[in-house]
Amino acid sequence: MEIVSPSIVDDDYIEKPALYARLGIPEFWRVDEKDGELVVEMVTLDEATARYVPSRTAPLDVVEAEG
């Protein structure tokens, strides 16, 4: 799980996912603030393109409630 830092947004959205894809990490979650709410974006590695694609986006409190 990545928590997006305002000071290194490019790192959290570009550099780290590229590294994770090279390492073959199949999935990761990223927590960011959207419109004043914490949101979890779950992304899955598309092996054909070696890029992550969104698989689900949900408010953090919903994800926490699901356990």
Side-chain angles (χ1 to χ4, degrees):
M1 181 178 289
E2 290 292 330
I3 299 174
V4 175
S5 172
S7 63
I8 55 170
V9 171
D10 284 349
D11 201 38
D12 291 331
Y13 276 93
I14 298 169
E15 300 299 326
K16 288 180 183 178
L19 172 63
Y20 298 161
R22 285 194 305 274
L23 295 172
I25 295 171
E27 174 185 271
F28 75 93
W29 297 8
R30 179 171 34 226
V31 180
D32 200 354
E33 185 177 346
K34 308 271 183 178
D35 299 322
E37 180 177 42
L38 290 178
V39 175
V40 179
E41 179 184 28
M42 298 144 204
V43 294
T44 305
L45 183 61
D46 178 344
E47 292 182 16
T49 64
R51 294 184 180 263
Y52 287 98
V53 294
S55 56
R56 181 176 177 211
T57 302
L60 180 60
D61 59 343
V62 170
V63 175
E64 288 177 326
E66 292 172 350

